[in-house]
Amino acid sequence: MSDPATTPMDAPAGSGRVYDRGYRRYDGPRGGRGAAVRALFLGSIRRALGLRRSWKQKVLPWLLLAVAAAPAAVFVGVGYVTRNTPAADFEFITYREYVGVSTALLLFVAVTAPDLICPERRQRVLPLIFSRPLTGRDYVLAKAGAVFAVVFAFGFLPQVLLFVGQMLVSDAALSYLRENAEVLWQAPLSVAVLAAYLALLGTAVASLASRRMVAAAAFLGLILVSSSISAVLLGGSAQGAGALVNVMGIPLFVRDLVFLGHIGNDTPLGGVDGGGALALACYLGITGACVVILLARYRWAER
Amino acid sequence: MLRTDHLRKAYGSTVAIDDLSVEIPSGRVGLVGANGAGKTTLFRLFLGLARPTAGFVEVGGRGVAEDPIGIRARIGYMPEHDCLPLDQSAADVVATLGELAGLPARAARQRASDMLDLVGLDEARFRAVGTYSTGMRQRTKLAQALVADPEVVLLDEPTSGLDPSGRDEMLDLVARLGADEMSVVMSTHVLADVQRACDHVVMLDAGRLVVAGGTEDLLDTTGTILVEVDGPVEALVAALTARGLACAVSGSRVEVTAPDADAGLDAIRDEVSELGLPLNTLATRLTSLDEVFVRRTPQ
């Protein structure tokens, strides 16, 4: 091993200067494939939230996430202030309604998924990543998993806020907890349904583009176009099977299955025969297609 | 350390590696060949990022096809092309890639710091890579290849795009790494780089093995004597041919093939003296790997 003394070499300084500090071996612990996936997952979460990045890159994700949580805070605040003199028509938003109430999570995915996926493809970082003990499947799992984790956290946090707030505002907190115990599994499950859908759709669309702007526009365009087509298919009627064409409606129909056991009558799919099964099939079909696209896009590493 | 056996890799009708059987020993090894010779493809095959069309690839006695993930954990790789995320600092890039190689987060940051010191980026490591010169990017790429302390490191054209002083420093670094219990395989099309930094060389041409061996052994090509004289060489060639020595002329240089090197040297010395030609060079070895490559490559 070289002398560890710090001695500059004779070569003239250019863009940098090599110092002969010697190469030191590493004999500490090493993780395997699981550690690599975990590192990629955590690194992607940090990037999604702008951590270890400039303040400019923190503003947008945190603003969108704050907007997603704001309605819950407002409802709890109003409920607390008026707890002794409730307005006659004041009602808390339901846990079911809160899932998907804000487009902020949608915009967050539109911004974040391309930021996690596109630069690594465009700047050709993937050969460096796949020269590590990782497979294409691991990469997809870490990236889509990171988007899922952040969307789930910021979709579920307001639900917790709503629940705790209503418990405290109610006359009998324990009774409220007992009467609404089913929400404790319904809310996280339905938020997970939405988060998985957005994460897979967002990352799959992003994997098809190399520019972030193009990927974000394609994701939002898909949602806008599908909702427009759905509206045309529904015609003047408020409900019908055409509602299934609306890409963003599908996870909300599955949410209804979680909360109600059937499609809500206040939704465009309400009253459609077999609507629940159709919605579930569409959900599984779309998420499955996204997984296939993602695995195909990152299969090149194993050819 | 690395071995291939009747290895073939084809992309459609394009054959990148053709029936390549070679053993690459530990130490500092130069993988040389023109652009398109198959060097990068061979690296991808060693990493398990490409599957052989036929044949076998082995790293450290273990088949790559059997355990590509395990193999990758033992190899560091520096690609030739730009491959760094431009909006991140070198410190973050190298530490992140260290974590992806299995190092704990704290150890990865410490190793990243050490490796960036080693390659001379200690002052600039917290700047975004997008602001770096080509030389600094090459150093960052080298640091990420070393961060997990691999058993063998594959460097794809590490001197590409570097100015002369940067190239010197990079070659010094490669030479020192190979002396630190780590095997270094460096691909290049500049044979002088290999001659300077490597003690073993593997030459490829159009995906086929040209020659492999110790750098000094290849330069000490037996049976060949180089003669360089001032003045016309025709008389010298005629005299040597009359003595039964085969001659090839290139300008003022004559390459003489002699079955017995000592007898050949004596004969040349006598004929040059007889003809009164000023003698510039008389050597029993080739002076560069370029000559070895040119001689061995089928035209």
Side-chain angles (χ1 to χ4, degrees), chain A residues 83-151:
Chain A
R83 64 190 184 284
N84 295 324
T85 55
D89 55 350
F90 178 75
E91 281 185 17
F92 268 93
I93 187 171
T94 66
Y95 301 104
R96 170 179 161 264
E97 286 168 340
Y98 205 93
V99 178
V101 71
S102 173
T103 54
L105 287 179
L106 191 68
L107 291 174
F108 175 79
V109 173
V111 171
T112 303
D115 189 47
L116 294 185
I117 297 281
C118 297
E120 286 176 355
R121 183 175 287 278
R122 184 171 170 75
Q123 293 166 6
R124 303 169 75 189
V125 184
L126 293 176
L128 280 190
I129 293 174
F130 288 120
S131 69
R132 266 60 189 180
L134 280 168
T135 66
R137 271 174 291 177
D138 297 334
Y139 182 85
V140 169
L141 180 68
K143 291 289 177 179
V147 179
F148 168 82
V150 176
V151 173

Side-chain angles (χ1 to χ4, degrees), chain B residues 200-220:
Chain B
H200 196 91
V201 60
V202 175
M203 292 185 181
L204 296 180
D205 182 55
R208 286 180 163 272
L209 180 67
V210 175
V211 66
T215 310
E216 289 299 315
D217 296 340
L218 287 176
L219 291 170
D220 280 329

Side-chain angles (χ1 to χ4, degrees), chain A residues 149-231:
Chain A
V150 176
V151 173
F152 177 80
F154 282 86
F156 186 53
L157 198 69
Q159 298 271 2
V160 173
L161 190 63
L162 264 184
F163 194 87
V164 173
Q166 290 194 77
M167 257 177 68
L168 296 178
V169 169
S170 70
D171 297 332
L174 281 176
S175 301
Y176 183 85
L177 177 63
R178 268 194 302 273
E179 288 163 14
N180 294 278
E182 71 278 9
V183 172
L184 296 177
W185 67 266
Q186 288 171 335
L189 180 58
S190 56
V191 172
V193 162
L194 179 68
Y197 187 84
L198 289 177
L200 286 170
L201 195 61
T203 47
V205 170
S207 75
L208 299 171
S210 57
R211 287 180 178 275
R212 279 177 282 198
M213 288 294 287
V214 173
F219 179 71
L220 294 174
L222 175 68
I223 288 163
L224 284 173
V225 168
S226 68
S227 71
S228 302
I229 293 172
S230 174

Side-chain angles (χ1 to χ4, degrees), chain A residues 1 15 17-18 20-21 23-26 30-31 36 47 52 123-124 128 130 132 134 301-303, chain B residues 49-51 72 83 85-87 97 100 102 109 111 117 120 133 144 148-149 169 176 180-182:
Chain A
M1 192 175 284
S15 51
R17 200 168 165 82
V18 176
D20 189 6
R21 287 176 178 162
Y23 180 81
R24 275 177 275 182
R25 307 296 316 215
Y26 173 77
R30 287 175 191 268
R47 185 174 176 90
R52 290 191 196 162
Q123 293 166 6
R124 303 169 75 189
L128 280 190
F130 288 120
R132 266 60 189 180
L134 280 168
E302 291 145 42
R303 275 175 205 162
Chain B
L49 294 176
R51 288 192 182 132
R72 270 179 238 158
C83 56
L86 302 179
D87 61 345
L97 289 165
L100 292 189
R109 293 208 82 77
R111 286 283 302 175
D117 277 349
S133 65
Q144 66 76 31
D149 188 23
E169 290 180 54
R176 284 191 293 133
D180 280 326
E181 301 167 29
M182 178 190 290

Side-chain angles (χ1 to χ4, degrees), chain B residues 240-254:
Chain B
L240 293 174
T241 306
R243 283 176 175 252
L245 300 173
C247 299
V249 180
S250 171
S252 63
R253 301 175 73 183
V254 182

Side-chain angles (χ1 to χ4, degrees), chain B residues 2-267:
Chain B
L2 309 173
R3 189 172 75 87
T4 70
D5 186 23
H6 295 292
L7 181 65
R8 179 183 169 83
K9 178 64 184 176
Y11 298 96
S13 59
T14 306
V15 178
I17 298 286
D18 192 9
D19 195 29
L20 180 68
S21 296
V22 66
E23 279 198 40
I24 298 178
S26 302
R28 294 167 290 198
V29 181
L31 181 65
V32 296
N35 292 332
K39 305 185 295 289
T40 300
T41 300
L42 188 57
F43 279 173
R44 286 175 54 78
L45 287 159
F46 282 131
L47 285 161
L49 294 176
R51 288 192 182 132
T53 307
F56 185 73
V57 190
E58 193 178 274
V59 174
R62 207 156 162 198
V64 173
E66 295 157 26
D67 182 20
I69 299 293
I71 296 288
R72 270 179 238 158
R74 302 162 65 184
I75 297 182
Y77 176 49
M78 173 183 174
E80 179 188 3
H81 57 73
D82 281 342
C83 56
L84 298 170
L86 302 179
D87 61 345
Q88 296 177 35
S89 68
D92 281 343
V93 171
V94 177
T96 300
L97 289 165
E99 284 189 64
L100 292 189
L103 301 189
R106 187 184 293 265
R109 293 208 82 77
Q110 182 57 53
R111 286 283 302 175
S113 175
D114 290 348
M115 291 307 106
L116 289 167
D117 277 349
L118 183 77
V119 301
L121 271 181
D122 50 345
E123 291 165 13
R125 76 180 68 158
F126 298 112
R127 271 170 42 203
V129 170
T131 66
Y132 285 7
S133 65
T134 303
M136 294 164 84
R137 291 183 192 192
Q138 290 291 85
R139 292 163 195 271
T140 307
K141 282 159 59 179
L142 178 60
Q144 66 76 31
L146 301 173
V147 67
D149 188 23
E151 291 170 31
V152 56
V153 61
L154 308 178
L155 310 178
D156 199 353
E157 303 274 2
T159 56
S160 174
L162 295 181
D163 60 23
S165 68
R167 187 169 156 235
D168 284 347
E169 290 180 54
M170 182 63 80
L171 291 174
D172 285 343
L173 202 50
V174 168
R176 284 191 293 133
L177 286 172
D180 280 326
E181 301 167 29
M182 178 190 290
S183 289
V184 180
V185 183
M186 176 181 85
S187 87
T188 180
H189 59 275
V190 183
L191 289 150
D193 288 357
V194 174
Q195 195 164 338
R196 179 173 154 185
C198 301
D199 38 38
H200 196 91
V201 60
V202 175
M203 292 185 181
L204 296 180
D205 182 55
R208 286 180 163 272
L209 180 67
V210 175
V211 66
T215 310
E216 289 299 315
D217 296 340
L218 287 176
L219 291 170
D220 280 329
T221 302
T222 55
T224 302
I225 302 169
L226 286 181
V227 189
E228 201 164 0
V229 293
D230 275 344
V233 296
E234 290 77 8
L236 176 63
V237 169
L240 293 174
T241 306
R243 283 176 175 252
L245 300 173
C247 299
V249 180
S250 171
S252 63
R253 301 175 73 183
V254 182
E255 214 172 278
V256 183
T257 304
D260 180 340
D262 287 341
L265 282 170
D266 289 345

